[in-house]
Amino acid sequence: MKKPINVTVTGATGQIAYSLLFRIAAGCMFGTDQPVNLTLLGRAGSNNAAMTGTMMELEDCAFPLLWNMVDTTDPMQGFRDADVALLVGARPRGPGMERADLLQANASIFQTQGRALNEVASRDVKVLVVGNPCNTNAWIAMKNAPDLKAENFSALMRLDQNRAEAQLAKRLQVRTTDLAHVAVWGNHSPSMAADVTFSTACGESVLPKLDNVWLEKEFAPTVAKRGGAILAARGASSAASAASASVDHMHDWVLGSNQRWVTMAVPSKGQYGVPEGMVFGFPCVCENGVATPVEGLALTDVTKTKILANIRELQAEAQAVKEFVP
Ligand code: NDP
């Protein structure tokens, strides 16, 4: 039997975790032959009763792969020897809260968590930030963990790719598994750039089958504003789909993407003019536990313009939280 992987999850009282934790324990993230030890990191001062209830339910599933489970509110204990950290918990936007207030409120959470990861996590820990604003939160955590490699950090943009693939498959009347090379660039915000320039369906370019009006007026805005549309329809934000995308992201990062492009927000190494270190959505290929952005693509002028807008947006976010970054 394999050695168990230590997985730490924050935000365990929330609605994403209520879906995510059960899929991890069932073997969807790391494979059905890979045991896991789960640590649920709660918020100090919170009533973590919901977390206790979730743990009781996890126990009641009698998952063969769930070898151990503990909870704590201390990040230094919660991240000790973590191989994988899923940072889902984040302060939601409250009434009257400006975007700058939200950025600041979350910055202190990810500063603390970055410092703790730096101190006590496995040196090869894979960190996925889901809590919004996820690109900037991941950047803050990364900057506060100077002893870990920048490549250990990532943020969730796979949900945006999955949304793009679902819309495209519906339009072309194909299955999502027929599609390849769908990309989403930039920030997990309405500015993100969904890109089908290189996409294929059943091995053939999708471009001749699509018109620009649909791409610009329907496809791109539907993908970018999907979170808001779900909130309006369901009265609660995307949860199961965000959990599923988190499973996809970490599964492919750890086990490989088999040459498939998968969108991940990762620290830039200067590709496509994105400033070094900025946590930016790129199409990536994952192999041997390493996610590598696909380089050398001939981008359209539209995509280049959108990438620039995303860079500016992330620079403004970084500026708003600069006191949380050494
Ligand atoms: P919920 O509101 O259901 O849960 C929020 C969780 O965050 C709770 O566990 C809560 O703990 C915790 N939390 C709140 N404030 C803090 C704090 N100050 N410090 C630490 N933890 C805190 O949210 P969801 O589960 O639906 O979503 C979680 C995050 O994921 C949100 O930021 C959301 O915007 C983001 N998201 C990201 C997506 C992406 O694609 N990147 C997609 C969908 C959502 P407590 O109960 O103690 O308050």
Side-chain angles (χ1 to χ4, degrees):
M1 199 57 172
K2 287 182 173 173
K3 189 171 160 269
I5 293 183
N6 296 329
V7 183
T8 303
V9 182
T10 72
T13 56
Q15 49 157 4
I16 292 178
Y18 191 65
S19 173
L20 178 63
L21 289 165
F22 294 84
R23 294 199 57 202
I24 297 170
C28 304
M29 191 175 265
F30 305 109
T32 48
D33 61 346
Q34 176 60 64
V36 292
N37 294 327
L38 272 181
T39 298
L40 309 190
L41 175 58
R43 178 163 66 91
S46 163
N47 170 7
N48 284 307
M51 191 154 84
T52 308
T54 301
M55 290 173 82
M56 289 161 74
E57 282 202 80
L58 279 161
E59 210 170 84
D60 292 350
C61 293
F63 287 118
L65 295 170
L66 182 54
W67 280 19
N68 194 30
M69 180 168 48
V70 293
D71 67 304
T72 176
T73 55
D74 175 4
M76 295 293 273
Q77 205 180 322
F79 291 124
R80 186 162 300 283
D81 299 326
D83 300 305
V84 168
L86 300 158
L87 309 187
V88 182
R91 174 100 180 262
R93 195 167 186 157
M97 224 173 157
E98 298 296 332
R99 186 170 169 78
D101 301 331
L102 182 73
L103 275 160
Q104 295 251 336
N106 278 296
S108 69
I109 300 170
F110 289 87
Q111 179 187 48
T112 305
Q113 294 183 351
R115 286 175 177 167
L117 284 160
N118 192 54
E119 291 298 312
V120 297
S122 154
R123 297 302 84 183
D124 295 321
V125 63
K126 286 184 164 44
V127 182
L128 167 60
V129 177
V130 177
N132 279 320
C134 62
N135 299 54
T136 293
N137 290 340
W139 178 73
I140 294 167
M142 175 190 85
K143 287 292 202 184
N144 281 284
D147 301 333
L148 296 173
K149 295 184 288 290
E151 301 85 77
N152 294 25
F153 291 83
S154 68
L156 184 69
M157 289 191 62
R158 183 64 171 268
L159 179 57
D160 307 307
Q161 179 189 334
N162 288 350
R163 287 168 171 168
E165 287 186 350
Q167 293 303 314
L168 198 56
K170 202 156 69 171
R171 180 74 176 183
L172 296 172
Q173 302 267 291
V174 297
R175 315 214 60 88
T176 50
T177 45
D178 295 330
L179 297 171
H181 297 173
V182 176
V184 184
W185 303 85
N187 194 8
H188 175 67
S189 82
S191 313
M192 71 181 80
D195 183 8
V196 299
T197 315
F198 311 99
S199 306
T200 58
C202 306
E204 289 181 10
S205 170
V206 299
L207 283 184
K209 301 178 183 115
L210 300 169
D211 60 86
N212 280 336
V213 176
W214 180 79
L215 280 172
E216 284 307 312
K217 299 257 181 283
E218 276 192 54
F219 172 71
T222 300
V223 173
K225 295 180 189 159
R226 189 69 166 181
I230 286 167
L231 181 60
R234 178 174 116 84
S237 58
S238 336
S241 55
S244 191
S246 304
V247 170
D248 293 342
H249 175 118
M250 193 55 77
H251 173 278
D252 291 347
W253 194 4
V254 172
L255 296 173
S257 69
N258 280 325
Q259 296 308 311
R260 186 167 177 248
W261 291 12
V262 290
T263 295
M264 297 169 68
V266 293
S268 169
K269 288 192 171 146
Q271 298 97 331
Y272 303 99
V274 179
E276 197 165 340
M278 181 176 275
V279 178
F280 202 83
F282 293 105
C284 294
V285 170
C286 302
E287 207 171 6
N288 300 325
V290 179
T292 309
V294 179
E295 292 204 52
L297 297 171
L299 304 181
T300 64
D301 288 342
V302 172
T303 305
K304 283 183 193 163
T305 305
K306 288 183 180 172
I307 285 180
L308 202 55
N310 277 273
I311 292 172
R312 296 213 173 103
E313 188 174 78
L314 283 164
Q315 282 170 331
E317 290 186 13
Q319 182 64 20
V321 297
K322 62 178 188 303
E323 70 265 37
F324 296 91
V325 167

